[in-house]
Amino acid sequence: MALFHVARYPGPEAAGPAESEAGGRARALLERLQSRARERQQRRESAPPEATAEATGKRRRRPRRRRPGSSPAPGSPDAPRKKRQKATGGDADAGGRRGRAREGAPPGSDRRVASTPSCPAESGDKAPGASSEAESPDESACSPGHALLLGGFEMRKAPKVQPFLPTWLARPSRVGKNVTEHLVPIQDLPEVHPELQKKLRAQGLSSYFPVQAAVIPTLLESAAGGFLVGRGGFQPQDLCVSAPTGSGKTLAFVIPVVQALLQRVVCRVRALVVLPTKELAQQVSKVFQVYTDATPLRVALVTGQRSLSREQESLVQRTADGYRCLADIVVATPGRLVDHIDQTPGFSLQQLRFLVVDEADRMVDSMHQSWLPRVMAAVFQREEPSDPCALFQRELPRAVTAASTWAPQVPLQKLLFSATLTQNPEKLQQLSLHQPQLFSSGLESRGPEGVADDSAGKYVFPEGLLHHYVPCSLRAKPLAVLHLVLTTQLPRVLCFTNSRENSHRLFLLVRAFGGVSVAEFSSRHGPGHRKKILKQFEQGRIQLLVSTDATARGIDVQGVELVVNYDAPQYARTYVHRVGRTARAGRAGQAFTLLLRVQEHKFLRMLADAGVPELGRHEIPSELLQPLIPRYEEALTQLEKTVREEQKQKKA
Ligand SMILES: Nc1ncnc2c1ncn2[C@@H]1O[C@H](COP(=O)(O)OP(=O)(O)OP(=O)(O)O)[C@@H](O)[C@H]1O
């Protein structure tokens, strides 16, 4: 069964809102064509022999049908010749066939193709000067009745392609977006293991956020069959979850995964969590550590922060008769995961039960690294017949038959999470999801004609977030950041730039200005240094963290109340994640985006299209910046010196 109906533009007949309607129209069109063919056949049979010969040698001219009241389209063969010449820029003949093909009706119209072997005007040896004849309205008479004219796109507005979403994307299970409403007390989900409930309370949680209350029971139910396929031999459905930043998506997969694995006897890699950055992987592995503490389950982090051999030691142990697995849950970045699949003897994913892809839209974008095919190959690798686990063969999900259920199957369930999960079926299809189910806080369910476009996804933002933009000049941008930091006096401010060079310069400038504890976070520094910086920021020892988009996704630092976009993000999706570092878990937060005059219109329109609540305009009067200028000028001079020294060092 096809998982997705990928809609490609099949012509206006099929572009209707409902599939059935399109099918009906296609049938009607077919019948019409068939009846015309029959009529022609009858005419040919009843006509005198000479007329038949004429008909076969040279087709009769058929007057073009025209809709009552409609005038011929400019440039069409029916339009006055002068007008058509103008439309083709006077290049009637030079354009040749292509020029003519471009003029004309939209695809699917009733026009005839001018290009046919029996038509002299279209033959390759057409004499120069024959163009005027070829372009006469009569040219259509030369074409076979069944052919459709190609082209004509320039002259008329092409009908809008109306792709439609598969039902699971068009009608998702609704999840509340507000984490301060509709909370479910912990005791109200009795299916969660009592030990885990205790852990949740010990972490200071008293109720589940909406996304957790929706996803945890669904996942627990799908895992009720243990590590084998569920009732009736059906493989569990894959899940896609789209909920705002800071709405607790991490616990929505941590709790059910831990609970499902609690019943395991032998240690095997049964859950694999893949994340885009080292810092995010580390954060998620910490959450797993909290909830697997005091259980036999073991968590391994493989991100490249440690050497390959150190990571290998945490994954497998060599024994007299082979290898022993040391991790039940592996949290990894894609590159390092592939390294272990290739280079770690004994590292097996053959018993994998859960594949969690966090920040799934970003991970789909990085699919060119082809980490997923490598993982899938490792997951569905055939057991050696001598292996005691060979009984538990696994196969890709397919129709359930008596033959397919003869052997116990270990199902693989994919779980996708993101605040900006793509709804583009073509992108999602790369993940080969099995009967997926979508949980979404987005728009109310869209009909099957819903647009399958990323930007039309209308992102959802945390309730407590206030969005502003600050119009300013290029020169005043650093001053605006300093003004916001100094006037608000908030203990943790996250400031995003679009490049590591910009981050570095802004960091040097603010440091030279003084009065603000500042640090930078970018790929200029190694993972060890970045980890230290993030920790200091969490501890409140750094007030302003100037960062690239390396911290834009998933990073959960408590107490960030202000996000400043020093450089406006290029994509709405990036904006969603950057500003989502504040106003988490129902708290309040503010986001300011500095905009040059030339950026304003385009940027605000992009955000409006993406469903961002209207940004408040926040002017910073120049008299408020004036007192900062003398120190700022000094800092600029200092910056110049530092940059020159750094360049010298680099050359040396
Ligand atoms: N039920 C809950 N009650 C209170 N706080 C919670 C609850 N669940 C999660 N949190 C807290 O909410 C914060 C955000 O959670 P989490 O990082 O899982 O969000 P997220 O949805 O994954 O965000 P992002 O999309 O930015 O990655 C964390 O600090 C977490 O401890």
Side-chain angles (χ1 to χ4, degrees):
M1 188 187 71
L3 288 183
F4 299 102
H5 183 111
V6 178
R8 297 187 189 285
Y9 182 63
E13 295 83 26
E19 212 174 337
S20 60
E21 201 187 317
R25 265 190 264 152
R27 263 194 307 281
L29 182 67
L30 184 64
E31 277 165 20
R32 217 164 61 219
L33 289 171
Q34 282 170 342
S35 79
R36 269 197 222 157
R38 273 196 300 275
E39 273 171 31
R40 262 202 308 275
Q41 182 67 23
Q42 280 169 0
R43 252 185 273 136
R44 233 178 271 146
E45 282 166 8
S46 58
E50 65 274 15
T52 316
E54 193 185 319
T56 46
K58 188 178 172 189
R59 282 164 199 264
R60 277 198 304 131
R61 288 175 186 176
R62 292 213 287 134
R64 270 189 47 72
R65 281 193 297 140
R66 202 180 286 169
R67 265 194 238 127
S70 69
S71 59
S76 79
D78 295 342
R81 190 174 304 168
K82 258 188 203 166
K83 269 193 185 173
R84 273 188 292 116
Q85 275 174 355
K86 195 174 169 191
T88 53
D91 193 20
D93 202 25
R97 295 176 203 187
R98 270 173 65 198
R100 276 192 306 280
R102 265 189 253 115
E103 306 169 5
S109 78
D110 206 27
R111 286 194 50 198
R112 308 285 173 227
V113 175
S115 167
T116 161
S118 64
C119 174
E122 283 300 310
S123 64
D125 54 8
K126 183 179 73 172
S131 64
S132 60
E133 195 188 334
E135 281 176 5
S136 77
D138 294 335
E139 70 175 2
S140 63
C142 309
S143 56
H146 62 271
L148 296 175
L149 181 73
L150 299 176
F153 303 114
E154 286 174 357
M155 303 314 294
R156 289 194 192 170
K157 204 175 170 208
K160 195 167 191 287
V161 178
Q162 290 288 337
F164 49 85
L165 295 169
T167 313
W168 74 272
L169 275 177
R171 300 202 169 80
S173 304
R174 304 280 311 137
V175 171
K177 61 174 188 166
N178 193 346
V179 295
T180 55
E181 284 172 9
H182 311 300
L183 304 184
V184 177
I186 286 182
Q187 62 277 11
D188 285 7
L189 288 189
E191 54 269 57
V192 177
H193 197 284
E195 283 304 317
L196 287 173
Q197 292 195 18
K198 223 191 266 180
K199 274 270 155 58
L200 286 165
R201 289 200 185 90
Q203 291 297 308
L205 275 59
S206 57
S207 41
Y208 296 106
F209 284 162
V211 69
Q212 296 161 352
V215 174
I216 293 174
T218 309
L219 261 176
L220 287 178
E221 205 202 326
S222 68
F227 300 126
L228 300 180
V229 289
R231 274 166 271 162
F234 291 105
Q235 303 250 358
Q237 285 184 288
D238 292 336
L239 296 193
C240 297
V241 180
S242 178
T245 51
S247 63
K249 293 186 288 295
T250 312
L251 278 184
F253 64 79
V254 167
I255 297 292
V257 165
V258 170
Q259 179 161 336
L261 301 195
L262 277 177
Q263 51 182 303
R264 70 97 168 126
V265 179
V266 182
C267 177
R268 297 269 169 169
V269 179
R270 294 179 208 270
L272 173 62
V273 187
V274 191
L275 301 111
T277 63
K278 295 180 173 66
E279 287 75 24
L280 198 46
Q282 197 172 15
Q283 182 180 297
V284 170
S285 102
K286 267 191 201 162
V287 180
F288 270 113
Q289 296 284 3
V290 168
Y291 291 92
T292 53
D293 188 30
T295 72
L297 299 179
R298 296 179 207 193
V299 183
L301 176 67
V302 293
T303 59
Q305 276 172 327
R306 294 177 299 159
S307 69
L308 192 75
S309 58
R310 288 281 305 282
E311 287 182 352
Q312 286 173 332
E313 284 166 19
S314 68
L315 290 173
V316 285
Q317 184 185 33
R318 194 161 176 89
T319 61
D321 59 345
Y323 293 93
R324 190 160 76 91
C325 179
L326 297 178
D328 299 277
I329 299 164
V330 173
V331 183
T333 48
R336 196 56 153 193
L337 175 64
V338 172
D339 288 346
H340 283 289
I341 291 173
D342 288 341
Q343 299 172 38
T344 304
F347 177 66
S348 165
L349 297 177
Q350 284 162 295
Q351 299 298 312
L352 194 70
R353 172 67 181 77
F354 298 104
L355 172 60
V356 183
V357 187
D358 202 0
E359 306 298 344
D361 53 324
R362 163 95 183 264
M363 299 304 288
V364 171
D365 288 346
S366 67
M367 218 63 109
H368 58 272
Q369 295 171 0
S370 60
W371 62 271
L372 187 65
R374 303 300 309 281
V375 171
M376 296 311 281
V379 167
F380 289 96
Q381 196 179 331
R382 287 263 159 195
E383 304 268 2
E384 291 288 315
S386 57
D387 192 311
C389 288
L391 181 64
F392 299 98
Q393 292 295 355
R394 73 186 327 163
E395 285 174 11
L396 284 164
R398 57 186 174 133
V400 179
T401 61
S404 72
T405 51
W406 74 270
Q409 291 263 337
V410 184
L412 173 71
Q413 193 172 18
K414 292 184 197 132
L415 314 173
L416 274 57
F417 290 82
S418 179
T420 51
L421 192 72
T422 175
Q423 297 224 343
N424 183 339
E426 292 197 32
K427 278 191 180 179
L428 286 171
Q429 191 154 22
Q430 296 178 55
L431 293 153
S432 308
L433 300 177
H434 173 64
Q435 297 186 348
Q437 184 181 1
L438 172 66
F439 290 88
S440 174
S441 311
L443 284 182
E444 291 296 329
S445 68
R446 280 176 276 166
E449 68 279 11
V451 179
D453 180 274
D454 275 351
S455 62
K458 302 292 174 201
Y459 303 123
V460 180
F461 292 84
E463 285 288 306
L465 181 59
L466 288 175
H467 309 254
H468 312 270
Y469 75 94
V470 181
C472 65
S473 66
L474 191 61
R475 201 175 149 71
K477 274 168 89 175
L479 274 174
V481 173
L482 285 164
H483 168 78
L484 289 170
V485 173
L486 293 170
T487 51
T488 55
Q489 281 301 324
L490 291 168
R492 286 178 202 82
V493 179
L494 197 44
C495 178
F496 287 103
T497 68
N498 283 353
S499 69
R500 59 186 216 164
E501 285 72 31
N502 283 7
S503 282
H504 184 55
R505 289 192 177 209
L506 183 60
F507 157 70
L508 291 176
L509 189 62
V510 176
R511 192 176 65 176
F513 185 89
V516 179
S517 58
V518 61
E520 67 176 315
F521 189 102
S522 74
S523 57
R524 275 180 65 89
H525 302 290
H529 183 79
R530 292 210 302 261
K531 190 173 163 186
K532 204 172 94 188
I533 293 288
L534 212 50
K535 195 164 184 185
Q536 288 179 353
F537 187 54
E538 274 170 2
Q539 291 167 343
R541 286 158 60 195
I542 291 168
Q543 186 188 3
L544 174 65
L545 185 63
V546 183
S547 173
T548 56
D549 283 327
T551 57
R553 274 185 183 257
I555 295 296
D556 183 54
V557 176
Q558 304 234 337
V560 176
E561 287 174 49
L562 176 61
V563 168
V564 181
N565 286 317
Y566 178 82
D567 291 327
Q570 283 175 323
Y571 305 103
R573 212 161 54 140
T574 315
Y575 181 85
V576 175
H577 288 282
R578 281 185 182 183
V579 300
R581 298 314 101 208
T582 184
R584 298 175 71 74
R587 297 188 195 93
Q590 297 201 69
F592 288 84
T593 303
L594 310 188
L595 289 181
L596 305 179
R597 186 169 291 279
V598 288
Q599 293 176 313
E600 259 180 59
H601 177 70
K602 200 173 158 209
F603 182 79
L604 296 177
R605 206 182 53 198
M606 175 180 83
L607 294 196
D609 288 348
V612 181
E614 203 177 325
L615 269 67
R617 188 182 168 97
H618 182 91
E619 296 266 8
I620 303 179
S622 55
E623 53 272 24
L624 291 182
L625 299 180
Q626 210 63 43
L628 304 177
I629 287 179
R631 249 166 91 190
Y632 176 61
E633 299 285 354
E634 281 171 34
L636 275 178
T637 318
Q638 178 67 37
L639 172 70
E640 258 173 52
K641 264 190 221 158
T642 315
V643 170
R644 241 181 279 130
E645 271 167 32
E646 281 182 354
Q647 280 170 349
K648 251 189 232 163
Q649 277 174 7
K650 221 178 187 180
K651 276 183 196 156

